[in-house]
Amino acid sequence: MAWTKEMPANPVVAIAGATGAVGREMLKCLEQVNFPAKEIRLLASARSAGQTVPFAGCGDLPAGELTVQEMTEESFQGVDIALFSAGAGVSKKFRQAVVDAGAVMIDNSSAFRMDKDVPLIVPEVNAEDVAWHNGVIANPNCTTIQMVVALEPLRALGHIDRIIVSSYQSASGAGAKGMAELEDQAGKVLAGEDFEPSAFAHQIAFNCIPHIDVFIDGDYLNDAPEGYTKEEWKMVVETKKIFHDDTVQVAPTCVRVPVLRCHSESINLEFDRPVSIEAVKEALANGKNVVLEDDPANNVYPMPALHAGSFDTFVGRVRRDATVADDRGVAMWVVADQLLRGAALNAVYIAQALLPQA
Ligand code: A2P
């Protein structure tokens, strides 16, 4: 069923999961892009109802405080856009209520990403896919988003046949509890005190864990081979869907590292034709919302400690991958604030793409 309801120029926006690591950033992103909201409704579990959150104002809405409400099926009456980041179970539970209320759900969870009737959108790459939603649009996984934003400008240079990517993912990818666990554990390890990991399978302080989300079996989406995690396979299937390209091959390894915020990625690309490193750097420098930060002689390259809080995707260490024949190989390093670029901000950019275009 095609969606026929027109989006008003000043929509009512709900944030479902407003007290979480991503939900809090969603409100800040609405403020920072000056989203023309008529009203913003903050929703969370009953535990958080009544909490107040400072609000800087946006559109015609004045600065002040917003009060968190308990999320129920009635919460979506009168809402035009519902930004969801409360986990896949909550998204599934409330999907029908959101659609019945006539709102568009922009969902940050993995619940609907690979559904055939749900567009999966990174606006710099495939904003045109907003045209065919049926009430739900999915926000991709954070590691996928920053990778495709960095690769999009390079697709004009030739077809990307193969991507080998290793991620260095921060603790905040596991939500507010992930950040708290890293901070708490770091102190305990240094003090020689005992602790029990809970947000992660192992100690995260002073460690790297090559395991994000669950290990999957072979019949998960598009026949994942044995031994991959769901986080890794999301990068494979989501990249193909966003690029509208089933032929691009993606070989990921996802690793949790003791960084509070910002994911990093080491990426090796194989093009179908020779590409010069100069052309790659020029394309990146001109890429939308991409910043080329690449001056190794002066120790300049992107790092997570530099870019927490930034909207952009930073690329450096751009160099030839000489293991690929005929000058078709390129290696690079990509850093972005995954709570913003990889989640909250991408959702808000999708919301902007839904507004009536001037
Ligand atoms: P609450 O803070 O009241 O538990 P994070 O990703 O940082 O863990 O945050 C998850 C977000 O989703 C929080 O805002 C949390 O609210 C919200 N949430 C989790 N479960 C539910 C639920 N069953 N109903 C409504 N909101 C929920």
Side-chain angles (χ1 to χ4, degrees):
M1 189 190 69
W3 191 258
T4 51
K5 194 179 161 221
E6 275 189 32
M7 184 58 66
N10 298 104
V12 175
V13 179
I15 301 178
T19 51
V22 173
R24 277 181 252 177
E25 299 298 339
M26 284 171 160
L27 180 62
K28 290 190 205 150
C29 290
L30 290 170
E31 293 167 351
Q32 286 188 37
V33 305
N34 198 21
F35 194 83
K38 186 175 166 197
E39 179 194 332
I40 296 178
R41 250 175 241 180
L42 302 187
L43 307 173
S45 77
R47 290 180 293 275
S48 307
Q51 266 182 31
T52 54
V53 176
F55 174 54
C58 64
D60 292 332
L61 291 176
E65 279 185 339
L66 299 177
T67 304
V68 177
Q69 302 169 29
E70 179 183 357
M71 184 167 16
T72 67
E73 299 199 340
E74 286 68 48
S75 307
F76 300 99
Q77 290 305 321
V79 169
D80 298 298
I81 297 175
L83 304 172
F84 263 72
S85 192
V90 176
S91 297
K92 286 180 185 159
K93 182 174 163 200
F94 286 98
R95 174 185 186 158
Q96 199 56 48
V98 172
V99 175
D100 287 349
V104 181
M105 174 189 260
I106 300 175
D107 182 32
N108 192 50
S109 83
S110 61
F112 315 117
R113 285 184 191 146
M114 297 313 295
D115 289 6
K116 290 217 160 30
D117 64 341
V118 174
L120 183 67
I121 297 182
V122 177
E124 289 87 339
V125 182
N126 62 332
E128 70 280 6
D129 285 341
V130 294
W132 58 269
H133 77 82
N134 294 303
V136 181
I137 296 174
N139 212 31
N141 181 257
C142 49
T143 47
T144 311
I145 292 177
Q146 73 181 67
M147 183 172 83
V148 300
V149 168
L151 297 189
E152 178 61 16
L154 305 184
R155 295 173 76 211
L157 304 178
H159 183 262
I160 299 172
D161 289 345
R162 183 169 181 231
I163 303 166
I164 300 171
V165 52
S166 298
S167 71
Y168 301 64
Q169 296 182 223
S170 61
S172 49
K177 63 184 183 313
M179 269 189 281
E181 183 152 318
L182 172 55
E183 284 171 328
D184 178 62
Q185 242 178 46
K188 288 191 165 138
V189 171
L190 290 173
E193 291 170 17
D194 289 340
F195 56 85
E196 201 57 54
S198 81
F200 304 105
H202 299 279
Q203 171 182 331
I204 182 63
F206 308 101
N207 197 16
C208 296
I209 309 173
H211 173 186
I212 300 180
D213 208 331
V214 294
F215 282 95
I216 50 178
D217 56 31
D219 58 6
Y220 178 73
L221 289 171
N222 298 0
D223 296 327
E226 293 283 309
Y228 281 84
T229 62
K230 200 168 164 189
E231 183 82 354
E232 289 160 351
W233 210 248
K234 285 176 204 166
M235 295 191 81
V236 176
V237 293
E238 292 181 16
T239 301
K240 290 173 195 266
K241 182 166 176 177
I242 296 161
F243 279 168
H244 299 172
D245 179 2
D246 271 339
T247 67
V248 58
Q249 299 198 68
V250 185
T253 304
C254 291
V255 182
R256 187 75 69 191
V257 296
V259 165
L260 278 174
R261 190 161 162 160
C262 284
H263 289 354
S264 306
E265 295 174 358
S266 161
I267 300 178
N268 287 58
L269 300 172
E270 187 174 330
F271 285 85
D272 68 342
R273 67 197 73 178
V275 294
S276 76
I277 295 303
E278 292 68 33
V280 168
K281 287 188 182 177
E282 192 185 337
L284 290 167
N286 294 319
K288 191 167 181 199
N289 298 331
V290 174
V291 175
L292 179 66
E293 191 173 46
D294 198 16
D295 182 8
N298 289 304
N299 299 342
V300 173
Y301 27 71
M303 291 183 286
L306 295 176
H307 295 310
S310 172
F311 279 13
D312 288 322
T313 297
F314 297 84
V315 187
R317 301 291 322 278
V318 179
R319 61 204 190 277
R320 173 71 64 214
D321 176 349
T323 65
V324 182
D326 306 324
D327 290 340
R328 292 180 298 106
V330 173
M332 59 194 209
W333 173 252
V334 177
V335 173
D337 182 323
Q338 92 289 351
L339 293 177
L340 291 172
R341 175 66 259 192
L345 180 66
N346 199 68
V348 168
Y349 282 165
I350 295 171
Q352 285 183 313
L354 285 171
L355 292 172
Q357 303 299 312

